[in-house]
C-alpha cells in the first residue's frame, strides 16, 4: 500500500498531495539518507517512517541534491547538514560489516578488538589511496562513542565488555513468531529454517604431520580451502538438499554427473561467499521448487514460513518473491538463542563430515594400499561433496526436530522427541568415532584436538574481503532501488 493509501480524511487528491509533501521535509529526507548510509535496508526504513518503498528509493536516488538543499536551508543545524566523507567514514562502514560478521560467527567483540580492526582497515584504505593522503585516525574511545551514535549500533558494549546476544529481544520474538504460526495455521511440515556455515574441507589438526608438512609447501593453501554451505530443514525433521558455494566454476564431478543428480546444489563464487544475489538464486531456483515437491508428495498445502537470520548476505525483500512463502527474520543478535540450526545441527553435521572424511581415508589406505599422504593429496571437491552427502544423511531426525525447541512455543511433543534432545550426546559418540579413526591412520590426535577440529573457528574477514563484500552489497542495494 502506498503512503497516500494510509492517510485518511482528505477529500481531494490535491489535498493529499499537499499533505504528502509537507510530511517529507528536508530533515526527514536527511534522516532517511543517514539511516540508509548507516546500513538500514530500504524496506525497513519504509516501515519505520510509514512511507512507500518507492518513495524511499526516490529520496535515495536524489540524496546528493537533497544534501545540497540542506546546506542552503535556513534554520538547520550544522550537524545535520554535514556530509561525512573520507577514509574514516569508509572505515566505519567496513567496520560495521566486520562486527556483524563476527557476531554471526559468535566471535567475541570488545572495544580493544574493534579499535584494532578499525585502525587496520583505515591503514589498508590509506595504502590504497597512496602518498597524497594525509588523513589520520587513532580509533580513540571518543571516536567509538560517536561511531555508535552515527550507526545506531548500541549492542556494542562499553570498554571491557564483550558484545553478547540480545536475550530480551529473543524472548519477545517468541511471542511474535508464535502469533504468526497461529494466524497462518502453519503445520510443522510448513515451517522451515536455514543457516549458512563455512566448512574448511581439507583442514587437519595442527599437531598432525600432514598439517606440519603442508605449512612448508606451496600446497598449504589447499588446507585452508573453504566452502560455504546452506543447511536447513523443517520442524517435522525433513532436511533440505545442501546448497554448496565453491570457488571452482564447475566441480570435476560434473563431468560425469549432471547438476540435477548431485547430492548438493552447486554454486560458484570466487570467494565462496553467500551474497544476496546467490541467496536469492537459491531461494527461487532451489528452495521453492524442492519445498513445492515436498508438499505435493506429503499432500499438504504449499504455504511456507521460512525463518532466517538478520545477517549480511540475506536479502530482505524475499517476501515479495512468492505469495505462498512468508519470510520471517530473527531480530539482530538473537541467533545464538533462536536460530534452530545453531542449536546443534551445524556442529553435528561438521562432526559427521569429519567422520565420513576419515572413514574414506581409512578405506583408501587399507583397501587400495595408498599412503595417507597420497590420499590427502588426491582428496578434492569430488570427495568433499560425497562426504557432505553422507554427513548430512547421518544428522538424525531427532536432532533436526529437537533444534526447534528454543524458538517454538508449540509442537512440544514433536520437538522434544518425547524424551528430550541433547546435541552433546550425539557429538560425544561421533567424537569417539573420529578419535578411533585417527588412531587407525596413526595420526597424533587426542580428544581435545578432535573437539577443536569439529568446532574450528572460521576466522575473521580480511580487510580486502570486507572491501569486496561492501562493494557487492552496495551494488545489490542500487539494483534494489531501481526495481
Amino acid at each position: 500500500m502506498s503512503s497516500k493509501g494510509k492517510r485518511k480524511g482528505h477529500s481531494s487528491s490535491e489535498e493529499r498531495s499537499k499533505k504528502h509533501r509537507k510530511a517529507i521535509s528536508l530533515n526527514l529526507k536527511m534522516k532517511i539518507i543517514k539511516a540508509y548510509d548507516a546500513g538500514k535496508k530500504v524496506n525497513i526504513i519504509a516501515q519505520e517512517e510509514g512511507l512507500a518503498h518507492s518513495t524511499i528509493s526516490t529520496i535515495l536516488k536524489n540524496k546528493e541534491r537533497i544534501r545540497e538543499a540542506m546546506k542552503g536551508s535556513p534554520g538547520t543545524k550544522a550537524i545535520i547538514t554535514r556530509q561525512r566523507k573520507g577514509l574514516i567514514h569508509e572505515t566505519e562502514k567496513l567496520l560495521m560489516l566486520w562486527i556483524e560478521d563476527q557476531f554471526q560467527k559468535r566471535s567475541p567483540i570488545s572495544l580493544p578488538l574493534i579499535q584494532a580492526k578499525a585502525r587496520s582497515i583505515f591503514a589498508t584504505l590509506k595504502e590504497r589511496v597512496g602518498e597524497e593522503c594525509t588523513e589520520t585516525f587513532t580509533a580513540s574511545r571518543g571516536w567509538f562513542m560517536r561511531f555508535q551514535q552515527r550507526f545506531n549500533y548500541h549492542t556494542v558494549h562499553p570498554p571491557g565488555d564483550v558484545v553478547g546476544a540480545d536475550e530480551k529481544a529473543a524472548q519477545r520474538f517468541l511471542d511474535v513468531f508464535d502469533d504468526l504460526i497461529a494466524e497462518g495455521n502453519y503445520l510443522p511440515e510448513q515451517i522451515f529454517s536455514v543457516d549458512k556455515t563455512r566448512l574448511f574441507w581439507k583442514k587437519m589438526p595442527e599437531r598432525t604431520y600432514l598439517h606440519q608438512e603442508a605449512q612448508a609447501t606451496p600446497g598449504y593453501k589447499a588446507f585452508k580451502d573453504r566452502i560455504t554451505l546452506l543447511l536447513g530443514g523443517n520442524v517435522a525433521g525433513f532436511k533440505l538438499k545442501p546448497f554448496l558455494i565453491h570457488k571452482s566454476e564447475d566441480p570435476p564431478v560434473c563431468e560425469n554427473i549432471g547438476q540435477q543428480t548431485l547430492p548438493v546444489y552447486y554454486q560458484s563464487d570466487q570467494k565462496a561467499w553467500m551474497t544476496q544475489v546467490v541467496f536469492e538464486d537459491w531461494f527461487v531456483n532451489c528452495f521453492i521448487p524442492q519445498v513445492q515437491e515436498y508438499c505435493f508428495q506429503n499432500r499438504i498445502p504449499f504455504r511456507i514460513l521460512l525463518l532466517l537470520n538478520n545477517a549480511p548476505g540475506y536479502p530482505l525483500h524475499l517476501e515479495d518473491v512468492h505469495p505462498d512463502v512468508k519470510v520471517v527474520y530473527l531480530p539482530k543478535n538473537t541467533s545464538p538463542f533462536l536460530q534452530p540450526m545453531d542449536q546443534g545441527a551445524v556442529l553435528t553435521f561438521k562432526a559427521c563430515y569429519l567422520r565420513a572424511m576419515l572413514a574414506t581415508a581409512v578405506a583408501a589406505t587399507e583397501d587400495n594400499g595408498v599412503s595417507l599422504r597420497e590420499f590427502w593429496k588426491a582428496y578434492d571437491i569430488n570427495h568433499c561433496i560425497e562426504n557432505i552427502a553422507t554427513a548430512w544423511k547421518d544428522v538424525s531426525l531427532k536432532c533436526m526436530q529437537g533444534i526447534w525447541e528454543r524458538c517454538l512455543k508449540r509442537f512440544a511433543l514433536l520437538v522434544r522427541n518425547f524424551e528430550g534432545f541433547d546435541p552433546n550426546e550425539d557429538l560425544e559418540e561421533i567424537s569417539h568415532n573420529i578419535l578411533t579413526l585417527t588412531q587407525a591412520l596413526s595420526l597424533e590426535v587426542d580428544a581435545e584436538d578432535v573437539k577443536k577440529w569439529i568446532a574450528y573457528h572460521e576466522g575473521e574477514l580480511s580487510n580486502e574481503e570486507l572491501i569486496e563484500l561492501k562493494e557487492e552489497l552496495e551494488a545489490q542495494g542500487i539494483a534494489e532501488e531501481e526495481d
Side-chain angles (χ1 to χ4, degrees), residues 307-326:
L307 182 65
L308 296 177
N309 286 344
N310 192 330
Y314 293 168
L316 295 178
H317 63 271
L318 293 176
E319 193 164 339
D320 300 328
V321 174
H322 197 289
D324 295 318
V325 180
K326 183 174 183 60

Side-chain angles (χ1 to χ4, degrees), residues 48-99:
E48 291 178 350
E49 301 300 338
L51 298 172
H53 186 287
S54 59
T55 302
I56 303 297
S57 297
T58 301
I59 290 171
L60 294 174
K61 287 178 183 178
N62 297 300
K63 60 183 179 181
E64 294 305 323
R65 281 187 289 178
I66 293 169
R67 286 188 173 119
E68 289 299 319
M70 279 295 288
K71 291 178 182 179
S73 178
T76 55
K77 297 180 180 179
I79 192 170
I80 296 176
T81 61
R82 182 183 176 189
Q83 179 184 356
R84 289 182 56 76
K85 295 181 179 179
L87 296 188
I88 294 178
H89 186 49
E90 289 301 308
T91 295
E92 291 176 346
K93 289 194 285 187
L94 292 170
L95 184 65
M96 276 300 304
L97 280 178
W98 176 80
I99 289 172

Side-chain angles (χ1 to χ4, degrees), residues 200 202-205 208 350-351 354 357-358 376 434-435 438 441 443 445-457:
F200 290 78
K202 290 195 73 170
K203 179 174 175 57
M204 293 291 288
T208 61
K350 288 185 175 182
L354 289 179
M357 179 181 66
L358 292 171
W376 212 247
I434 291 172
L435 189 58
T438 59
L441 293 168
L443 290 172
V445 176
D446 59 24
E448 188 61 27
D449 292 325
V450 171
K451 184 178 179 181
K452 293 179 181 178
W453 197 2
I454 293 171
Y456 174 67
H457 179 63

Side-chain angles (χ1 to χ4, degrees), residues 314-362:
Y314 293 168
L316 295 178
H317 63 271
L318 293 176
E319 193 164 339
D320 300 328
V321 174
H322 197 289
D324 295 318
V325 180
K326 183 174 183 60
V327 181
V328 179
Y329 298 88
L330 290 169
K332 279 193 174 184
N333 306 342
T334 62
S335 60
F337 292 117
L338 299 178
Q339 168 54 246
M341 296 302 296
D342 280 354
Q343 310 309 316
V346 170
L347 207 58
T348 299
F349 162 77
K350 288 185 175 182
C352 289
Y353 173 80
L354 289 179
R355 181 174 63 183
M357 179 181 66
L358 292 171
T360 305
V362 169

Side-chain angles (χ1 to χ4, degrees), residues 117-154:
K117 187 62 177 180
R119 286 191 287 264
S120 173
I121 293 171
F122 179 81
T124 298
L125 293 176
K126 189 171 182 178
E127 184 179 350
R128 282 188 163 205
V129 173
E131 296 180 358
E132 65 272 16
C133 179
T134 59
E135 197 170 353
T136 59
F137 176 58
T138 60
S140 65
R141 185 175 300 183
W143 159 81
F144 173 69
M145 301 305 292
R146 294 189 295 273
F147 163 76
Q148 285 186 287
Q149 293 175 352
R150 282 191 288 269
F151 285 80
N152 194 31
Y153 199 82
H154 301 297

Side-chain angles (χ1 to χ4, degrees), residues 326-462:
K326 183 174 183 60
V327 181
V328 179
Y329 298 88
L330 290 169
K332 279 193 174 184
N333 306 342
T334 62
S335 60
F337 292 117
L338 299 178
Q339 168 54 246
M341 296 302 296
D342 280 354
Q343 310 309 316
V346 170
L347 207 58
T348 299
F349 162 77
K350 288 185 175 182
C352 289
Y353 173 80
L354 289 179
R355 181 174 63 183
M357 179 181 66
L358 292 171
T360 305
V362 169
T365 55
E366 292 182 352
D367 299 341
N368 301 330
V370 300
S371 68
L372 179 59
R373 187 178 288 103
E374 290 171 333
F375 166 81
W376 212 247
K377 186 177 180 180
Y379 188 83
D380 59 18
I381 194 64
N382 279 348
H383 304 105
C384 172
I385 290 174
E386 292 172 0
N387 287 325
I388 285 172
T390 299
W392 191 226
K393 184 178 180 181
D394 287 344
V395 177
S396 68
L397 175 68
K398 180 179 178 181
C399 175
M400 293 303 294
Q401 293 175 339
I403 57 177
W404 287 88
E405 184 176 358
R406 283 193 176 186
C407 73
L408 291 177
K409 298 180 72 174
R410 57 185 65 221
F411 310 128
L413 292 178
L414 183 64
V415 300
R416 292 175 186 168
N417 310 111
F418 298 96
E419 56 186 23
F421 165 66
D422 182 2
N424 293 323
E425 291 181 5
D426 288 345
L427 284 174
E428 287 178 8
E429 179 182 349
I430 300 168
S431 296
H432 179 72
N433 297 154
I434 291 172
L435 189 58
T436 302
L437 290 167
T438 59
Q439 291 170 350
L441 293 168
S442 301
L443 290 172
E444 296 181 4
V445 176
D446 59 24
E448 188 61 27
D449 292 325
V450 171
K451 184 178 179 181
K452 293 179 181 178
W453 197 2
I454 293 171
Y456 174 67
H457 179 63
E458 298 180 3
E460 68 179 51
L461 291 174
S462 69

Side-chain angles (χ1 to χ4, degrees), residues 29-49:
K29 289 179 180 179
M30 278 305 301
K31 179 185 176 183
I32 290 167
I33 292 168
K34 288 171 68 177
Y36 180 78
D37 288 343
K40 279 192 178 180
K41 300 296 181 182
V42 173
N43 61 334
I44 300 298
I45 299 172
Q47 291 174 8
E48 291 178 350
E49 301 300 338

